[in-house]
Amino acid sequence: GAVVSQHPSWVICKSGTSVKIECRSLDFQATTMFWYRQFPKQSLMLMATSNEGSKATYEQGVEKDKFLINHASLTLSTLTVTSAHPEDSSFYICRVTGPLNTEAFFGQGTRLTVV
Amino acid sequence: QKEVEQNSGPLSVPEGAIASLNCTYSDRGSQSFFWYRQYSGKSPELIMFIYSNGDKEDGRFTAQLNKASQYVSLLIRDSQPSDSATYLCAAFLSNFGNEKLTFGTGTRLTIIP
């Protein structure tokens, strides 16, 4: 069964609105979750590292005020795309490292389309 | 230099043949390596991971790791049309509580019936 659950799987929103994406670890507690973005025919690019109980760590070039990350509990991290624009349209994927630290589990991904 | 490099393809292989996917990485500290399969519009799904030099077999899949050459490969035997997808190689580095999973750009594989 799924180890990581991500919702919604797809969303269409109007330009200027905000969208929240949830990532839940189902089988184990995850102090750290990771958020990636993937544009068509490109690889996954790490956006930020979400830490339970503390501020997220953002990769260079990723606007922290635009992509708000909240790691509310050991099993839930949310990514909110604020004031979305068409260029934010992408595939957003969360990832959790397994308890043995040798595996990486992905959520199902969220296809965001901003119109 | 990219940290994880893959040939983007497309790689076309006849059904039933062996598909060979290659990956090189630059960070010698990388500890584990993953192969993911990604269908269009879907999230990556883990096929195999390997952390010891040599071969690791799982069904039709064999991962090969050569740390001295910083080289990882994935062999798919008896290729099926359902194996047509993009294959992502990833290298995992864990250092003093910080971890980094770096992906290659992926190789697009097409199995020809």
Side-chain angles (χ1 to χ4, degrees), chain A residues 59-100:
Chain A
E59 294 299 301
Q60 191 174 11
V62 178
E63 299 175 58
K64 62 179 182 179
D65 294 329
K66 180 171 182 62
F67 299 99
L68 301 179
I69 291 174
N70 186 331
H71 200 137
S73 72
L74 287 170
T75 58
L76 174 64
S77 175
T78 60
L79 168 67
T80 301
V81 183
T82 63
S83 187
H85 291 284
E87 57 264 31
D88 297 324
S89 298
S90 187
F91 193 49
Y92 292 85
I93 311 171
C94 69
R95 174 178 78 80
V96 173
T97 298
L100 297 180

Side-chain angles (χ1 to χ4, degrees), chain A residues 6 32 34 36 38 41-44 46 49 91 93-95 97 101-109 111, chain B residues 32 34 36 38 40-46 49 51 88-89 92 94 99-106 108:
Chain A
Q6 184 176 341
T32 306
F34 303 86
Y36 291 82
Q38 186 179 34
K41 298 186 179 180
Q42 294 186 24
S43 191
L44 287 79
L46 180 64
T49 302
F91 193 49
I93 311 171
C94 69
R95 174 178 78 80
T97 298
N101 219 32
T102 56
E103 301 167 296
F105 300 100
F106 285 94
Q108 299 92 326
R111 172 73 59 192
Chain B
S32 324
F34 301 83
Y36 289 88
Q38 186 176 27
S40 181
K42 300 294 185 181
S43 195
E45 53 180 327
L46 180 67
F49 71 91
Y51 51 84
L88 300 171
C89 170
F92 180 82
S94 179
E99 60 161 86
K100 185 177 180 183
L101 184 64
T102 306
F103 288 86
T105 52
R108 188 154 55 93

